Amino acid sequence: MRIGILTGGGDVPGLNPCIKGVVYRAVEQGVDVVGIKRGWAGLLNYDPSATDHSECVMPLNRQNTRIIDRTGGTVLHTSRTNPAKVRPSEVPEFLRTSSHKDIPKDERLDLTGHVLKVIDHIGLDALITIGGDDTQSYAVRLHREGVPVVAIPKTMDNDVFGTDYCIGFSTAVTRSVGFITSLRTVAGSHERIAIVELFGRNSGETSLVSAYLAGVDRAVISEVPFNPDKLAEFLAEDKRTNPSNYAIMTISEGAQMVGGAIIESGPEDAFGHRKLGGIGIETSEYIKRKLNTHTVYQQVAYLMRSGEPDALDRMVAFSYANLAADLLFRKESGKMVALREGKYTTVPIETLTTGIKRVDVNELYDTERYRPKIANMLGKPMFLY
């Protein structure tokens, strides 16, 4: 048996432990593991007629994965590639024909046929895909094409539908709480209002949970448009009643003002997303003008997903890896490993395409005062999903 493994989308701490977990479990069973580089780009750019494929794939074994769990990121590298929606300019040179010159640049090509041939050429019996909604949406496509696939959910936004937990979320929150706590010394020393912008495209869970744990004054999340005038008034009150004369808040990068729009920039990627970021500085400037005061704006951004994983992300990564590998050994594919109500389980891989996972606003968020609302802990899971 030969298994292929890849990581796609944004990197998060916990990917390397997950890769190592799959490899070590596979070696125990006498199964070969092939690492696919740069996510789906590794299969897209693989030229079966070439003699050197080291840019696209690499053998994985105990020796070359022995210490990778000690670091963050992914040794397989990653990309936001979707072989079902390839721009004409991004078609690999060996696949280009004269007809590609006449294709409009905004059109997308489906090169799944090539990917299926590559999987056959490498001799892969199954795939383990580690990624978020976008990466796994193409895994669902391959599953429907007959490729045995098991998905492992990862994203620091924790927004993959069908699971309570995604690899990377705990470390992202841990990093955020640490930076928020450190920033208090600056905000307090200068007696300012601090606005901390955190990653979170559609789900505000990182902003909400980080705010809850760091004890910030206000938290703005992606799910609820906010009134900047009301927010400014709250922060002015928070600053005035703080003995150190400062206030601090978090805001999701996907948040928007009432009547406004999500702030995006740059071209769309292969999954239709543009780069987010900037709502924090816009909010900071608005508050500065409204209150005639100084502010501190800090975009935590990639620091949220940098460095080694914390203990929880290591535990989940290794556990997901073993669960996924064992599924394939039993010839069970078309599934995504998951955590539900604190227990490891599996769901059909198509589950992640059937809904959206967002903050339970009614249970966990005060929409009037822009704060976490944790009224009754009885019966709630550890991470307040």
Side-chain angles (χ1 to χ4, degrees):
M1 188 177 189
R2 174 174 287 180
I3 296 173
I5 185 169
L6 61 82
T7 55
D11 67 294
V12 299
L15 294 176
N16 282 335
C18 195
I19 294 167
K20 177 179 177 178
V22 169
V23 172
Y24 272 51
R25 188 75 182 94
V27 169
E28 290 176 358
Q29 300 296 313
V31 172
D32 290 336
V33 182
V34 175
I36 299 166
K37 295 184 177 181
R38 303 177 187 88
W40 296 119
L43 297 180
L44 177 65
N45 292 298
Y46 185 102
D47 183 356
S49 66
T51 55
D52 182 5
H53 300 112
S54 59
E55 283 296 307
C56 297
V57 296
M58 64 182 290
L60 295 177
N61 51 54
R62 291 176 65 98
Q63 287 69 40
N64 63 11
T65 61
R66 184 177 63 86
I67 63 174
I68 64 172
D69 56 311
R70 305 172 193 174
T71 59
T74 167
V75 294
L76 293 177
H77 304 287
T78 186
S79 71
R80 295 191 57 78
T81 300
N82 183 354
K85 295 182 179 180
V86 182
R87 292 184 176 90
S89 61
E90 295 172 346
V91 174
E93 189 67 36
F94 64 88
L95 287 178
R96 291 185 186 180
T97 65
S98 57
S99 62
H100 286 117
K101 298 178 181 178
D102 302 323
I103 299 175
K105 64 179 181 180
D106 58 345
E107 188 172 326
R108 299 294 184 269
L109 303 173
D110 186 352
L111 299 183
T112 300
H114 167 69
V115 170
L116 294 173
K117 292 178 182 177
V118 168
I119 291 173
D120 183 62
H121 185 269
I122 299 173
L124 299 179
D125 298 295
L127 283 175
I128 291 179
T129 57
I130 312 172
D133 283 331
D134 293 335
T135 299
Q136 306 299 6
S137 67
Y138 191 70
V140 171
R141 168 65 185 279
L142 290 184
H143 162 67
R144 291 170 177 166
E145 295 284 350
V147 178
V149 180
V150 169
I152 297 178
K154 75 84 205 164
T155 167
M156 64 180 176
D157 292 350
N158 203 40
D159 61 353
V160 174
F161 188 75
T163 181
D164 291 343
Y165 191 83
C166 302
I167 296 172
F169 177 65
S170 177
T171 308
V173 170
T174 299
R175 296 278 187 276
S176 299
V177 171
F179 288 124
I180 291 167
T181 302
S182 297
L183 196 61
R184 289 182 181 277
T185 60
V186 176
S189 296
H190 295 274
E191 301 176 279
R192 295 181 179 179
I193 294 174
I195 295 90
V196 182
E197 182 178 332
L198 302 175
F199 276 154
R201 174 175 290 275
N202 299 310
S203 172
E205 197 165 339
T206 50
S207 175
L208 180 75
V209 177
S210 297
Y212 174 60
L213 297 180
V216 306
D217 297 294
R218 308 289 160 174
V220 174
I221 62 177
S222 306
E223 290 84 351
V224 181
F226 68 99
N227 182 321
D229 291 321
K230 186 163 71 169
L231 177 63
E233 292 172 4
F234 285 147
L235 290 169
E237 178 187 3
D238 298 331
K239 182 175 184 291
R240 185 171 55 252
T241 57
N242 185 333
S244 295
N245 196 34
Y246 78 93
I248 191 165
M249 63 164 285
T250 61
I251 185 168
S252 299
E253 63 174 356
Q256 55 186 306
M257 296 181 184
V258 174
I262 296 175
I263 298 178
E264 299 177 296
S265 61
E268 288 187 353
D269 64 19
F271 296 95
H273 301 310
R274 299 174 65 203
K275 185 176 178 60
L276 283 182
I279 186 62
I281 187 64
E282 183 172 302
T283 302
S284 176
E285 292 298 322
Y286 191 97
I287 292 170
K288 185 186 299 184
R289 295 192 302 269
K290 175 75 175 179
L291 302 179
N292 191 28
T293 187
H294 292 293
T295 59
V296 174
Y297 164 64
Q298 184 62 58
Q299 187 181 43
V300 179
Y302 294 101
L303 289 172
M304 291 176 63
R305 65 187 193 207
S306 63
E308 64 181 21
D310 66 11
L312 181 58
D313 270 327
R314 289 176 192 265
M315 180 179 293
V316 175
F318 279 126
S319 299
Y320 275 172
N322 280 281
L323 178 55
D326 286 344
L327 284 172
L328 291 181
F329 301 156
R330 297 196 301 268
K331 307 296 183 182
E332 296 180 29
S333 61
K335 296 182 177 181
M336 179 177 76
V337 299
L339 270 166
R340 286 190 166 184
E341 299 181 351
K343 298 178 180 179
Y344 290 99
T345 186
T346 65
V347 297
I349 195 171
E350 295 97 335
T351 301
L352 63 93
T353 66
T354 62
I356 56 175
K357 184 172 181 286
R358 301 290 182 264
V359 168
D360 186 342
V361 174
N362 291 331
E363 278 289 310
L364 301 174
Y365 189 64
D366 187 335
T367 59
E368 294 299 318
R369 297 187 63 78
Y370 305 137
R371 282 177 168 167
K373 180 182 68 177
I374 316 297
N376 184 6
M377 293 301 297
L378 288 177
K380 286 188 171 63
M382 180 177 67
F383 261 115
L384 307 176
Y385 308 126

